Amino acid sequence: MELSRRTFTALAGTAALGLALAGSGGAATGPRTARTVPTGPPPAPPRADGRRHRVGHDRHSLLVDGRRLVLWSGEVHFFRLPSPSLWRDVLQKLRALGHNAVTVPVAWNHHSPAPGKYDFSGVRDLDLFLRTAAEERLYVVLDPGPYIGADVDAGGLPGWLTVADGTARTADPAYLRHVDEWLSAVNAIAVRHLYTAGGGTVLLYRVEDGHGGPAHQEHLSRKMRDDRIDVPVLHRGGALDGLWAPQAVETGRPDAWGGAGSGGKGYTQVFADQGPASLRRTALTHLADGITVHDVRMAFGGTSWGWLPGPGVYTSYDYGAPVNEGRRPTSKAAATHQLGHLLRTVPELARLDRAREVRVNDERLTVRHLTNPDTDADFYVLRNDADEPVTTTLPDTGIEVPVTVAAGDTRLLAANLELGRRKLAYTTAQPMVSLTAGRQDIVVFTGRKGETAQLALDCETQPTTTRLDLEPAWSYQQGRLNVVVPLGVGWLARVLVEGGDSDTPMLLLFADDATALRLWPCETPSGSLLVYGPALLRTATVRGSTVHLTGDVVGETGLEVWAPRGVTAVTWNGRLLRTQVGRTGSLVLEGLMPAAPTVTLPALDGWRRRTENPESDPDFDDSDWPAADRTSSRSSTPVPEGGPVLFADDYGFHYGDVWYRGRFEDARDVEQVSLSYSTGTQGLLMAWLDGEPLGTHRMPEPDEDTADRGTWTATATFDVPERLREPGTHVLSVLVRRMQRAGDEAAEGAYKAARGLMAVEFEGASPSVSWRIRGAGEPDRVRGPLNNGGLYGERHGWHLPGHDDGDDGDWESVEFPRADRRQGVAWYRTEFKLSVPKDLDASVGLVLDDDRERAYRVQIFLNGWNLGQYINDVGPQHTFALPNGILRTRGSNTLALAVLSDGTTPAGPGDVRLTLLGAAAGGVPVEAVDSPGR
């Protein structure tokens, strides 16, 4: 929704995470404060200023340089956005949406392809992410694991750890030696960004306690201190020293293959099930519990590209987050936007005590009463868990009118609250922003569309009150100014209060959720400002008499700016705007800013196709493959009696597809072959004997009871055709799509469960088999260990830009839709060009769709980057985000699809097309991500 022409033309010319906080004992920190810190303004937004800072806490809140701070942190997995220049885009959106911090888990497996090797370059540049967070003036909560959960393969533990000594997440010395190496590598970067030393904005450091007991946790804490990390440490699992921090404020949830938790509808349904009301309910309940350190999970979900995802999730990790996978703020952003700016600009919320109980007549409504001991301000958290609205009075609160709470919603009311130079007697609308811009105080109140906001200001002397829009109504009687406003009727509603008890004017602004997402408060060294109109405000800088704004515009919109004193001119994205002075002293754009231009996407054609899996051919040369002849394993899966070990990890193949070739003599009496194998969710096995398909076996689609299962095992039994039961040498070829490792059960050693073949048995005979195994080649130096698997085309660069398929007679020109019937792998390649205007931030996705009865899956490669897996007959995902930077929005791109099909049904691809996930005029400069080709 965009702002109407009427609105602006009328204005112009008119006159948690069970976390607990403990001090680390560093010189610049302290777990407690020796004196009571009164309510007051929060610290200024952080930056890498080179100065020492003191960080501590008392039972109410964090204390930064002697000032109270409510932390409203948004969790971002930077490893799920493999385009470093886009990190700034997401961080700017977090800050604009009210966050003052970002929680940053660091995935060990993303950075460590082998023992002792740690890569922090390119898309793994943690130093760059932390620098960017400091430049965007966000605190950082750093979580280096070693186990982070986060729905990634093995909870973030590296693949090579599956065959290393020791048991993860315990005090096992062998395991802790590897952990110490990892933490040394991370901490060497983190120590340069500590807020205590002024090198950056790392404010808190999260330590994993896992299931390893006190010795494990103490080792991690001691390691942190030994590495000179002196910020306070967050522990999971309870309260330490009196300050509670919450379970995460969940914005959604992960979704499993098949959409077991979403009814097969994917993240669209997750978004609907856990909408803005759910976020408000959790966050405000935490606030009522006295919690002032909040972790909003997820603020931006991103993409589980390559072989990154854990077994319980598919490629998209949209999560139903306020900023979606296409980097676009959603309607859910309104909730975090309103709460974040409220916590930042109303300092009374940093020091609250429980107050007397408020009893209401309707038992469906829960009321929590809190008060600030310094100012006597009262806050009421009203929670309605019923499936219908509840209206009630609040006896003995001073709130003189009935209050309605929507079904399943929660709201925060305030009373006896100093706002600027005036006192709020009460409000039935939630405050969002309180600031001073120029020569007036500005207060924003929000609620749902269709609600009526009512408030009263205590005024001994009647002020001059002017409604600047048609919707508000006001009256003055008995020392109170009463204002009533229907929300969402005419966009932003304004009431100007002048004189009376204060010489400072106060502007009251009323907004529903959609309107609030066009209001952008911001602090500058010259003072606070408030911008109304654009889809996003990124930066605001005052130089002389001009305020320079950057941000995004989606639809045609006006612009209004309440700026610091002395500001008389406005630029937007570098262009000077023509403005007039409005009745409230704001600068109002003459006319409207144009909508973002239309983006035209090309059709995907010019496809070329080539079949592969030569490994199934009995004459294929596998002489350079490792022999699978080991007799013992460090896996938690027992080695079958008589061996050999066939587990892929034991031979260094930790991600993606794995091939096996077994030679044996004389198949005359072999009637059946049984292949036992182990994978993550949605794994599969294909088998050939002497080049002829024996069949395909797939793990079942998970349901609600099995969606979280980390390891799936099965035995596939295939009949051997009579014509193959001959003497001589035979070759059994097996392809296993291993999928991912268990994460949440890592403490029980589930991360070490075998992947790939486990055992092979024959019916009718017992031939001796000599096995060879092949998985992914050496990790791509740029794309890392999680990008490639062991398909023939991957090992020979068919997915890479520059692969010469034009002169290769084995590639044939084809058109979609396709309907092949063949067990095995086929590749499709094409190139396409985009010409998105330079100043337009367009997010593009790839759509795959087909008749669901067709059983096949697709591995998607864009410019050599493995951006996801599509399973046509399982779903639920059909649209895959193509991150800018990897995607050349002004240039040529190479798209390759590796299609696995079982031969039982026609196999696509069917409909393959580009789609626009969103576009805005503005954005951030995007640098091309290195994508080496052949």
Side-chain angles (χ1 to χ4, degrees):
M1 299 173 65
E2 298 302 326
L3 302 181
S4 69
R5 181 180 296 271
R6 177 189 73 83
T7 302
F8 283 94
T9 53
L11 285 169
T14 57
L17 194 58
L19 303 175
L21 187 68
S24 63
T29 66
R32 303 285 292 183
T33 180
R35 62 183 179 85
T36 299
V37 176
T39 299
R47 58 190 178 93
D49 57 9
R51 300 177 180 177
R52 297 290 293 176
H53 295 276
R54 184 169 182 83
V55 183
H57 68 87
D58 61 11
R59 71 182 182 88
H60 290 290
S61 72
L62 287 168
L63 301 171
V64 176
D65 295 329
R67 294 188 177 189
R68 294 195 176 278
L69 175 69
V70 178
L71 206 69
W72 185 244
S73 185
E75 187 164 327
V76 173
H77 300 164
F78 75 97
F79 49 83
R80 279 193 163 102
L81 182 55
S83 182
S85 55
L86 292 183
W87 298 342
R88 186 179 301 277
D89 173 70
V90 171
L91 292 175
Q92 287 183 347
K93 286 169 179 168
L94 258 63
R95 188 193 60 219
L97 291 170
H99 290 288
N100 56 9
V102 56
T103 299
V104 187
V106 188
W108 189 358
N109 56 1
H110 184 46
H111 297 272
S112 183
K117 293 184 178 181
Y118 302 99
D119 185 354
F120 291 92
S121 64
V123 300
R124 294 164 294 280
D125 194 340
L126 175 63
D127 185 79
L128 174 61
F129 188 91
L130 297 180
R131 289 201 315 270
T132 306
E135 291 165 2
E136 298 306 329
R137 308 199 73 175
L138 289 166
Y139 293 110
V140 172
V141 180
L142 189 66
D143 180 3
Y147 174 86
I148 61 170
D151 301 301
V152 296
D153 183 69
L157 302 177
W160 55 261
L161 196 67
T162 61
V163 290
D165 289 334
T167 301
R169 305 185 71 194
T170 71
D172 188 321
Y175 166 68
L176 292 179
R177 282 195 296 271
H178 296 299
V179 167
D180 286 349
E181 279 193 2
W182 162 242
L183 292 180
S184 292
V186 176
N187 292 344
I189 297 171
V191 75
R192 302 197 296 267
H193 296 272
L194 299 179
Y195 189 60
T196 47
T201 55
V202 175
L203 184 75
L204 301 174
Y205 184 102
R206 185 184 289 171
V207 169
E208 181 229 336
D209 58 0
H211 303 276
H216 173 248
Q217 184 171 329
E218 174 56 29
H219 181 94
L220 299 181
S221 299
R222 185 169 59 251
K223 174 61 178 171
M224 179 198 76
R225 292 190 293 269
D226 290 345
D227 287 343
R228 299 179 294 117
I229 305 294
D230 67 353
V231 298
V233 56
L234 286 169
H235 292 283
R236 295 180 177 91
L240 292 177
D241 209 16
L243 178 64
W244 280 93
Q247 297 289 334
V249 179
E250 296 287 346
T251 60
R253 62 172 182 265
D255 195 35
W257 284 110
S262 65
K265 298 178 181 179
Y267 284 107
T268 300
Q269 189 63 43
V270 171
F271 191 96
D273 291 342
Q274 293 186 249
S278 176
L279 192 155
R280 284 190 292 268
R281 181 170 61 249
T282 304
L284 291 174
T285 299
H286 287 161
L287 188 67
D289 288 336
I291 290 165
T292 54
V293 178
H294 303 265
D295 180 19
V296 177
R297 183 177 189 269
M298 299 291 298
F300 164 77
T303 302
S304 296
W305 57 279
W307 298 104
L308 177 68
V313 295
Y314 43 89
T315 297
S316 176
Y317 201 67
D318 186 274
Y319 210 87
V323 179
N324 67 24
E325 190 177 8
R327 298 178 292 107
R328 306 294 147 184
T330 68
S331 60
K332 195 178 293 186
T336 183
H337 184 50
Q338 294 164 24
L339 289 167
H341 289 298
L342 169 68
L343 296 171
R344 186 177 58 82
T345 63
V346 178
E348 282 81 357
L349 292 165
R351 189 169 187 234
L352 295 177
D353 291 330
R354 292 182 181 177
R356 59 176 175 76
E357 183 179 0
V358 175
R359 295 184 178 273
V360 294
N361 292 330
D362 198 317
E363 295 181 352
R364 295 173 298 173
L365 198 69
T366 301
V367 181
R368 305 280 292 278
H369 180 197
L370 306 161
T371 188
N372 182 288
D374 298 325
T375 67
D376 294 326
D378 292 305
F379 297 93
Y380 303 92
V381 175
L382 282 62
R383 176 168 169 165
N384 176 16
D385 289 327
D387 57 4
E388 59 185 1
V390 172
T391 300
T392 185
T393 57
L394 300 174
D396 303 320
T397 62
I399 298 176
E400 300 174 350
V401 295
V403 176
T404 299
V405 184
D409 213 336
T410 305
R411 60 194 309 176
L412 177 75
L413 307 185
N416 305 314
L417 176 64
E418 299 288 342
L419 293 175
R421 282 83 165 175
R422 301 177 191 268
K423 188 169 185 178
L424 177 73
Y426 69 84
T427 175
T428 65
Q430 182 172 296
M432 170 181 160
V433 172
S434 176
L435 56 80
T436 299
R439 300 179 183 275
Q440 66 186 336
D441 297 327
I442 303 176
V443 186
V444 180
F445 298 91
T446 64
R448 315 291 80 76
K449 183 176 182 178
E451 294 179 347
T452 297
Q454 301 187 63
L455 66 81
L457 294 178
D458 283 333
C459 306
E460 293 184 5
T461 303
Q462 181 172 352
T464 300
T465 305
T466 307
R467 63 175 191 173
L468 303 176
D469 298 280
L470 297 176
E471 290 76 21
W474 64 271
S475 65
Y476 178 82
Q477 53 185 323
Q478 298 180 341
R480 286 218 171 146
L481 175 66
N482 300 290
V483 180
V484 180
V485 183
L487 298 177
V489 176
W491 292 97
L492 190 63
R494 306 161 177 81
V495 175
L496 180 62
V497 182
E498 301 172 285
D501 297 346
S502 174
D503 293 332
T504 301
M506 173 172 279
L507 178 62
L508 304 175
L509 302 178
F510 299 87
D512 67 350
D513 293 335
T515 306
L517 274 175
R518 295 295 184 267
L519 281 166
W520 307 105
C522 186
E523 291 83 31
T524 75
S526 301
S528 298
L529 58 83
L530 180 65
V531 176
Y532 174 48
L536 182 73
L537 177 68
R538 293 182 180 273
T539 65
T541 306
V542 177
R543 292 194 294 270
S545 61
T546 302
V547 59
H548 302 273
L549 307 177
T550 68
D552 295 357
V553 172
V554 177
E556 186 181 62
T557 184
L559 180 74
E560 185 174 8
V561 182
W562 291 272
R565 293 185 184 186
V567 172
T568 58
V570 179
T571 71
W572 179 260
N573 290 343
R575 183 173 64 90
L576 182 64
L577 303 180
R578 295 186 61 176
T579 59
Q580 299 182 29
V581 178
R583 286 192 60 184
T584 61
S586 60
L587 298 173
V588 182
L589 175 67
E590 295 181 4
L592 299 174
M593 292 194 289
T598 301
V599 177
T600 301
L601 299 175
L604 296 177
D605 51 22
W607 290 96
R608 297 179 67 81
R609 174 183 182 271
R610 184 178 181 180
T611 59
E612 57 133 284
N613 53 278
E615 300 92 340
S616 63
D617 191 316
D619 296 327
F620 178 81
D621 183 5
D622 60 15
S623 58
D624 62 345
W625 288 20
D629 55 5
R630 299 186 179 184
T631 58
S632 63
S633 172
R634 292 194 178 99
S635 171
S636 58
T637 302
V639 178
E641 185 176 352
V645 174
L646 297 175
F647 313 153
D649 289 295
D650 285 82
Y651 300 95
F653 303 123
H654 305 303
Y655 305 105
D657 299 296
V658 181
W659 274 99
Y660 298 85
R661 283 172 57 86
R663 284 182 171 80
F664 63 94
E665 299 295 329
D666 195 351
R668 282 177 294 183
D669 297 324
V670 177
E671 299 173 359
Q672 290 182 329
V673 57
S674 295
L675 305 169
S676 297
Y677 72 117
S678 175
T679 71
T681 307
Q682 283 299 288
L684 64 75
L685 174 148
M686 295 179 175
W688 294 259
L689 183 60
D690 298 336
E692 293 201 25
L694 294 180
T696 296
H697 185 279
R698 297 172 52 177
M699 297 299 179
E701 183 177 327
D703 55 25
E704 290 188 6
D705 294 331
T706 58
D708 294 332
R709 181 188 295 178
T711 295
W712 297 69
T713 60
T715 298
T717 299
F718 302 113
D719 293 333
V720 175
E722 286 279 356
R723 63 183 177 278
L724 300 181
R725 302 178 191 177
E726 297 178 349
T729 301
H730 297 269
V731 177
L732 177 62
S733 302
V734 181
L735 173 63
V736 178
R737 174 146 289 184
R738 44 173 297 149
M739 302 299 281
Q740 283 75 37
R741 294 177 193 81
D744 290 343
E745 310 99 330
E748 289 76 37
Y751 75 102
K752 285 194 170 188
R755 289 294 182 264
L757 276 181
M758 295 189 297
V760 180
E761 295 182 353
F762 296 90
E763 179 73 23
S766 301
S768 176
V769 184
S770 174
W771 287 100
R772 291 188 178 272
I773 183 173
R774 189 72 173 90
E778 288 297 314
D780 186 314
R781 64 174 180 83
V782 171
R783 301 176 180 95
L786 299 170
N787 194 72
N788 289 359
L791 294 180
Y792 183 89
E794 291 176 288
R795 305 198 310 267
H796 290 80
W798 294 6
H799 61 303
L800 296 176
H803 175 73
D804 187 5
D805 57 15
D807 297 328
D808 190 334
D810 288 336
W811 290 86
E812 60 175 333
S813 296
V814 296
E815 293 182 356
F816 291 164
R818 297 286 298 172
D820 296 337
R821 280 183 181 268
R822 176 180 180 273
Q823 177 177 294
V825 185
W827 284 77
Y828 300 84
R829 284 171 55 91
T830 191
E831 292 191 354
F832 63 92
K833 291 184 178 180
L834 297 179
S835 55
V836 176
K838 182 178 181 181
D839 296 325
L840 185 69
D841 177 17
S843 296
V844 178
L846 181 73
V847 176
L848 292 93
D849 204 1
D850 206 345
D851 180 351
R852 184 161 179 169
E853 297 302 315
R854 297 184 174 183
Y856 66 93
R857 59 184 65 192
V858 181
Q859 214 53 37
I860 301 166
F861 293 90
L862 176 69
N863 296 326
W865 289 83
N866 181 350
L867 294 184
Q869 182 175 185
Y870 167 74
I871 305 182
N872 182 66
D873 56 333
V874 173
Q877 186 176 2
H878 290 269
T879 300
F880 295 79
L882 307 178
N884 294 354
I886 291 176
L887 178 71
R888 310 304 197 233
T889 57
R890 288 180 294 281
S892 296
N893 297 274
T894 298
L895 179 63
L897 307 178
V899 179
L900 275 71
S901 54
D902 63 14
T904 62
T905 69
D911 181 19
V912 182
R913 67 184 187 275
L914 299 176
T915 189
L916 187 67
L917 302 179
V924 299
V926 178
E927 298 178 5
V929 178
D930 191 9
S931 300
R934 290 285 287 172

